[in-house]
Amino acid sequence: MDKVLRDEKMVVRVSINGTVVEDTVEPRKLLSDFLRENCGLTGTHVGCEHGVCGACTVRVNGKAIRSCLMFAVQADGSEIVTVEGLAAEGRMHPLQQAFSECHALQCGFCTPGILMSSVELLEQAHVPDRHEIIEMLSGHLCRCTGYKGIVDAIEKVVGDKSQ
Ligand code: FES
Ligand code: FES
């Protein structure tokens, strides 16, 4: 493994929501901070910075990960999708629409992370049942909703998709 000096900066080049971004960062810069501070993508929220709350979840090469647990330099060369990449041509993603219809958010702090994990769940080969949705949500903390609306919203999209 290459040795990195304390003040040394490193180049990170990633694709974010289809746009290639290149910047120079300190090796210790978290991916969550890189997205928010260097790229202006503040839809990725930072709660605990310890991998517990799930608010910072983004997708890296198709996998939902906690961006507070990854250094930006570790994402070099990756394809990243953040919550800003969900809506297409001004239209909300079906999950965003369902969250709105089912009252699945209040303050919205947890919502981007839950949406990113939910997109991954929906892309699985099999149709997830309510139990699997609840299991997925066990990795996300929401202080406001009581979760019912969130489960209902995801289940609605699952139902619409499997019809
Ligand atoms: S901020 Fe990353 S899991 Fe809480
Ligand atoms: S809507 Fe407020 S934390 Fe989930």
Side-chain angles (χ1 to χ4, degrees):
M1 199 162 139
D2 292 341
K3 231 180 182 171
V4 178
L5 300 175
R6 198 175 49 170
D7 296 327
E8 191 178 342
K9 300 253 177 130
M10 299 177 78
V11 173
V12 178
R13 184 182 162 89
V14 288
S15 161
I16 305 176
N17 303 329
T19 301
V20 174
V21 176
E22 187 174 305
D23 209 345
T24 307
V25 298
E26 288 181 5
R28 65 179 178 173
K29 183 137 201 161
L30 298 175
L31 178 59
S32 50
D33 292 337
F34 176 75
L35 292 170
R36 290 176 59 84
E37 295 166 9
N38 296 61
C39 307
L41 296 170
T42 52
T44 298
H45 293 164
V46 176
C48 64
E49 287 195 296
H50 283 85
V52 176
C53 73
C56 66
T57 303
V58 299
R59 298 186 77 196
V60 176
N61 294 332
K63 185 117 192 65
I65 62 103
R66 273 135 213 251
S67 58
C68 72
L69 294 184
M70 188 175 200
F71 293 119
V73 292
Q74 290 177 297
D76 187 40
S78 301
E79 291 200 7
I80 299 171
V81 180
T82 68
V83 71
E84 288 89 347
L86 287 188
E89 292 161 11
R91 280 198 326 273
M92 285 198 282
H93 185 281
L95 274 167
Q96 291 171 312
Q97 187 69 44
F99 268 56
S100 169
E101 288 167 11
C102 298
H103 308 290
L105 69 154
Q106 288 180 31
C107 78
F109 192 84
C110 66
T111 312
I114 292 177
L115 287 171
M116 300 317 288
S117 289
S118 301
V119 171
E120 183 183 56
L121 185 74
L122 289 172
E123 284 177 5
Q124 288 179 1
H126 71 287
V127 178
D129 59 20
R130 195 167 175 94
H131 177 76
E132 283 171 275
I133 295 169
I134 292 170
E135 184 72 19
M136 179 277 288
L137 287 171
S138 69
H140 290 271
L141 296 182
C142 175
R143 295 282 174 108
C144 306
T145 65
Y147 296 95
K148 184 182 177 302
I150 300 174
V151 178
D152 288 348
I154 300 168
E155 203 171 36
K156 181 178 188 306
V157 179
V158 169
D160 291 348
K161 232 183 117 200
S162 55
Q163 273 172 14

